[in-house]
Amino acid sequence: MKRVVLLCVLALAACGGAPKPRLPADLAREWRAAAVGCRNHPAMLRASVIAAINRHRVPDALQEPLTSKVNALASGTCDPRRARELADWLAENSS
């Protein structure tokens, strides 16, 4: 029996096993709109991201890349290139 379980675990690991972590769709939509439209000051976007992280709504694996992109955008005025990069990343990493 142990061999069967071990073989199943190995087979699942070879297939990729666990699904890729995803951001909640509602947060990703809100943040994409804020980034692309520069509707809110980038510091407000950063505050929203930090609040979501603190509420455990952002998977651990996505926290560092998300905060890096948001911090880059919030480091000055709204840079359209950085805003687009963040929006694209959010689209790729949301459910």
Side-chain angles (χ1 to χ4, degrees), residues 31-89:
W31 294 338
R32 284 185 76 216
V36 171
C38 290
R39 287 188 320 178
N40 298 325
H41 192 276
M44 292 175 70
L45 174 60
R46 180 173 33 204
S48 176
V49 167
I50 291 169
I53 289 170
N54 289 339
R55 288 189 318 267
H56 306 286
R57 294 203 59 208
V58 177
D60 291 344
L62 300 179
Q63 290 177 10
E64 192 281 326
L66 174 60
T67 55
S68 292
K69 291 185 180 311
V70 170
N71 285 335
L73 182 63
S75 66
T77 60
C78 193
D79 178 348
R81 180 185 54 80
R82 286 184 175 159
R84 176 52 51 200
E85 286 175 7
L86 174 59
D88 291 346
W89 185 89

